[in-house]
Amino acid sequence: MTVIEDIYPSRVDDRSRLIDRVDPVVYRDPGRQGPFSAAELATYEENGFFVKPALFGPNEVTELNDALATWLSSPEISAREETIVEPGSGAVRSIFRVHELHPLFSRLSRDRRLLGAARQILGSDTYVHQSRVNLKPGFSGKEFYWHSDFETWHVEDGMPRMRALSVSLALTENFPFNGPLMLIPGSHRSYVVCLGATPQDHYKQSLRKQDYGVPDHHSLRTLTDRGGIEAPTGPAGTAVFFDCNTMHGSNGNITPYPRSNVFFVYNSIENRLQDPFCGLKPRPEYIATRQRVETLQPLQQ
Amino acid sequence: MTVIEDIYPSRVDDRSRLIDRVDPVVYRDPGRQGPFSAAELATYEENGFFVKPALFGPNEVTELNDALATWLSSPEISAREETIVEPGSGAVRSIFRVHELHPLFSRLSRDRRLLGAARQILGSDTYVHQSRVNLKPGFSGKEFYWHSDFETWHVEDGMPRMRALSVSLALTENFPFNGPLMLIPGSHRSYVVCLGATPQDHYKQSLRKQDYGVPDHHSLRTLTDRGGIEAPTGPAGTAVFFDCNTMHGSNGNITPYPRSNVFFVYNSIENRLQDPFCGLKPRPEYIATRQRVETLQPLQQ
């Protein structure tokens, strides 16, 4: 019998604590070119994220928003299992697997500015572990509490190591006050072991509100005492690249300004999913790519 | 029979709309001195608010916070009707009437930097219409939706005209991301007539969550299209003076940084409360000073 040691245990007992990351942040491969400069890579490595203001131009953003509006108005969209709607209003809050469901978002997932950076940082071929569009409405946008994506992907999806990253591309302007992404610089170097166990079919709840895999107050204070909080602002088209273990969240949004973005999670092909470390059945394919792994090649500009 | 015309009707029918303010913002009295310069008064008049960064020094803030901590730990505080606690945890969220209940906050309400500015802007003697300490915790601070204070004070308390102002003195640092006060510049020049009628004993609910006197989305968009949103940040000791009709609110706060402040509402002695315009019984004295009107004189420094 082969026992795979779990070097990032979480939700296994009643103790909450910080442990050190053992994996690299930037997997340097001297032969590999990419859009990030050496200085940008160093900043990403230090902070656990890097912001590229206006990486996509106004015309490109308009094209994405127009396509999204058309897609959202189609009858098929609310019937899909990949579509998450607000319980009361039925309004669409998220659509998953956009890199396979829509040709424009499929192209976007292979854009050299995004995929090229992911391949450069992860030092290998990559595939999309998860993709989604998030729509945070004006007036009533809900908060999303602090979390490390990796904690969930490891425990619930069986992602073995920290060799994945997210890119969030803003489709609307990010103000300080419309619930922008907040990140804790340097938090990616510590892994917050969370309390408790994972219930069956946790994902059905956790897409709306997290109850498990929630970092404790003491750990969060330790991380913010060390690194503070940054909430990047910028025009639509701004991209935030962040490590899979960077602690992040967002406040609610009572302003009239909605906030929407598209997320791609790139995982190294050498870090494919195993059985979930929580011992439960895997989450659906549209939330965590397990079978349909397709190595992506950057599009030529 | 004397019929007092209601020039600021609200919650009277099923129409929501913006009407023009008919009252001055700054009631200039050439013989009256005050801490605001002519330029500062002009900015206040234009925007409906003015920020004085670090108006109180670190030692003064420490004295206030120490006194507050001692007060909060006393058994009498949670028994008072002036104390609003969180339903679940029992944690104190607000204490009203602090200008009468605590000697240090009483002194503060007569400090020339606050009261002197109020007398200067309102152009008359003034009294405290309402005072309170607000404690917005870290990790779970709730949002406070957009509102004009005057709309409530007019409808529920019978404040006749727009001749009152609030000052919010920060007892903790205001970051962009810990749910700071947000204000809409220029919104004080329009009055948002709200939908619906006022239920009996509305205040018991509205201190936690507003359901009546809520401005509609269209009006809020109109106001932010004209003026945008400002969310002043600054160290503890920063004061924000804002007109009674300036539209304001705050987002929730998932960060570890709590936000607390002390509010004083100064009303002109020439603008004392009448019967509530909604026709219901008045709210309690600790929320809206009706009987215990005491004209305040600024303390000598």
Side-chain angles (χ1 to χ4, degrees):
Chain A
M1 188 177 90
T2 307
V3 176
I4 299 171
E5 188 198 7
D6 183 359
I7 58 170
Y8 296 117
S10 186
R11 312 187 207 178
V12 291
D13 59 26
D14 59 357
R15 288 194 310 146
S16 176
R17 57 203 179 276
L18 291 176
I19 61 177
D20 289 341
R21 176 192 188 119
V22 297
D23 295 315
V25 179
V26 176
Y27 290 73
R28 287 190 173 75
D29 176 358
R32 190 176 291 272
Q33 301 296 310
F36 273 41
S37 70
E40 289 172 337
L41 281 179
T43 301
Y44 177 91
E45 192 166 34
E46 173 76 13
N47 291 336
F49 62 93
F50 193 83
V51 183
K52 292 261 195 182
L55 181 61
F56 286 69
N59 292 346
E60 292 176 297
V61 172
T62 299
E63 187 184 7
L64 289 167
N65 277 321
D66 288 350
L68 182 58
T70 303
W71 199 22
L72 283 169
S73 67
S74 68
E76 60 115 26
I77 195 69
S78 57
R80 296 205 75 97
E81 67 171 354
E82 291 91 346
T83 304
I84 311 296
V85 301
E86 187 84 356
S89 66
V92 173
R93 289 290 167 262
S94 301
I95 310 170
F96 281 80
R97 203 162 71 89
V98 295
H99 71 292
E100 291 188 331
L101 294 181
H102 194 288
L104 196 61
F105 291 107
S106 176
R107 269 189 72 83
L108 186 63
S109 72
R110 289 173 285 135
D111 191 287
R112 193 177 164 281
R113 289 166 288 184
L114 307 182
L115 176 60
R119 290 164 53 87
Q120 184 182 17
I121 291 167
L122 303 178
S124 70
D125 281 344
T126 69
Y127 68 99
V128 173
H129 168 67
Q130 184 189 91
S131 70
R132 66 183 192 273
V133 167
N134 279 345
L135 303 158
K136 192 168 192 167
F139 300 113
S140 61
K142 294 290 177 289
E143 81 273 8
F144 207 105
Y145 198 69
W146 299 107
H147 61 287
S148 151
D149 290 326
F150 178 76
E151 196 272 350
T152 299
W153 298 340
H154 182 70
V155 173
E156 300 192 22
D157 297 336
M159 184 182 284
R161 306 296 285 252
M162 295 181 186
R163 195 173 181 178
L165 64 82
S166 293
V167 54
S168 167
L169 178 66
L171 298 176
T172 51
E173 183 167 353
N174 281 344
F175 299 97
F177 41 67
N178 66 338
L181 179 68
M182 300 189 289
L183 309 109
I184 302 179
S187 59
H188 61 308
R189 296 197 174 279
S190 299
Y191 180 68
V192 181
V193 177
C194 299
L195 290 177
T198 306
Q200 195 75 254
D201 285 339
H202 174 220
Y203 74 93
K204 291 182 183 172
Q205 279 302 318
S206 70
L207 299 179
R208 297 218 181 90
K209 188 172 185 308
Q210 290 224 326
D211 298 304
Y212 296 85
V214 177
D216 64 296
H217 289 187
H218 179 75
S219 296
L220 288 171
R221 279 210 186 86
T222 301
L223 295 174
T224 55
D225 284 350
R226 290 176 189 165
I229 293 174
E230 288 194 23
T233 56
T238 295
V240 184
F241 296 82
F242 58 103
D243 178 82
C244 58
N245 190 46
T246 300
M247 191 63 72
H248 63 287
S250 61
N251 280 317
N253 175 26
I254 68 165
T255 79
Y257 309 118
R259 197 171 72 81
S260 47
N261 47 39
V262 52
F263 270 93
F264 295 110
V265 180
Y266 297 103
N267 190 24
S268 169
I269 197 72
E270 297 172 29
N271 194 38
R272 290 182 56 163
L273 302 188
Q274 303 177 358
D275 289 338
F277 285 84
C278 58
L280 300 179
K281 70 176 184 192
R283 302 197 295 175
E285 187 77 15
Y286 71 85
I287 295 178
T289 304
R290 182 176 300 276
Q291 310 295 339
R292 301 164 63 89
V293 173
E294 183 196 359
T295 300
L296 300 183
Q297 294 304 322
L299 295 174
Q300 297 308 311
Q301 301 295 295
Chain B
M1 190 176 92
T2 309
V3 175
I4 299 170
E5 190 200 4
D6 184 359
I7 58 171
Y8 296 118
S10 185
R11 314 187 206 178
V12 291
D13 58 26
D14 59 357
R15 287 196 308 148
S16 176
R17 59 202 178 277
L18 291 176
I19 61 177
D20 289 340
R21 176 192 188 118
V22 297
D23 295 316
V25 178
V26 176
Y27 291 72
R28 288 192 173 74
D29 175 358
R32 189 176 291 272
Q33 301 296 311
F36 274 43
S37 70
E40 289 172 337
L41 282 180
T43 301
Y44 177 92
E45 194 166 32
E46 174 77 11
N47 290 338
F49 63 92
F50 193 84
V51 183
K52 293 262 195 181
L55 182 62
F56 286 70
N59 291 346
E60 293 177 297
V61 171
T62 299
E63 188 185 6
L64 288 167
N65 277 323
D66 288 350
L68 182 59
T70 303
W71 199 22
L72 283 169
S73 67
S74 68
E76 59 116 26
I77 196 68
S78 57
R80 297 206 72 96
E81 67 170 354
E82 291 89 348
T83 304
I84 312 297
V85 301
E86 187 86 355
S89 66
V92 174
R93 288 292 166 261
S94 301
I95 310 170
F96 281 80
R97 202 161 73 87
V98 295
H99 72 293
E100 292 188 331
L101 295 181
H102 195 287
L104 196 62
F105 291 107
S106 176
R107 269 189 73 83
L108 186 63
S109 72
R110 289 172 286 136
D111 190 289
R112 192 177 165 282
R113 289 167 286 184
L114 306 183
L115 176 61
R119 290 164 55 86
Q120 185 184 16
I121 291 167
L122 303 178
S124 69
D125 281 344
T126 70
Y127 68 98
V128 172
H129 167 68
Q130 185 188 90
S131 71
R132 65 181 193 273
V133 167
N134 279 345
L135 303 158
K136 192 168 192 167
F139 301 112
S140 61
K142 295 290 176 290
E143 80 272 9
F144 207 105
Y145 198 69
W146 299 105
H147 62 288
S148 151
D149 289 326
F150 178 76
E151 196 271 349
T152 298
W153 299 340
H154 181 70
V155 172
E156 300 193 22
D157 297 337
M159 184 181 284
R161 306 295 286 253
M162 296 181 185
R163 196 173 180 178
L165 63 81
S166 292
V167 55
S168 167
L169 178 66
L171 298 176
T172 50
E173 183 166 353
N174 282 344
F175 298 97
F177 40 66
N178 66 339
L181 179 68
M182 299 188 288
L183 309 109
I184 302 179
S187 59
H188 62 307
R189 297 196 173 279
S190 299
Y191 180 68
V192 181
V193 177
C194 299
L195 290 177
T198 307
Q200 197 72 254
D201 286 339
H202 175 220
Y203 74 94
K204 290 181 184 173
Q205 280 301 318
S206 71
L207 299 179
R208 299 220 180 88
K209 187 172 185 307
Q210 290 224 325
D211 297 306
Y212 296 84
V214 177
D216 64 295
H217 289 188
H218 180 74
S219 296
L220 288 170
R221 278 209 186 87
T222 302
L223 294 174
T224 55
D225 284 351
R226 291 177 188 164
I229 292 175
E230 288 195 23
T233 56
T238 296
V240 183
F241 296 81
F242 58 103
D243 179 81
C244 59
N245 190 46
T246 300
M247 192 63 72
H248 62 287
S250 61
N251 280 318
N253 175 27
I254 68 165
T255 79
Y257 309 118
R259 198 171 71 83
S260 48
N261 48 37
V262 52
F263 269 94
F264 296 111
V265 180
Y266 297 103
N267 190 23
S268 168
I269 196 73
E270 296 171 29
N271 194 38
R272 290 181 56 164
L273 302 187
Q274 302 177 0
D275 290 339
F277 284 84
C278 59
L280 300 178
K281 70 176 184 190
R283 300 197 295 176
E285 187 77 16
Y286 70 87
I287 293 178
T289 305
R290 181 176 300 276
Q291 310 294 338
R292 300 164 63 90
V293 172
E294 183 196 359
T295 300
L296 299 182
Q297 295 303 323
L299 293 174
Q300 298 307 314
Q301 301 296 296

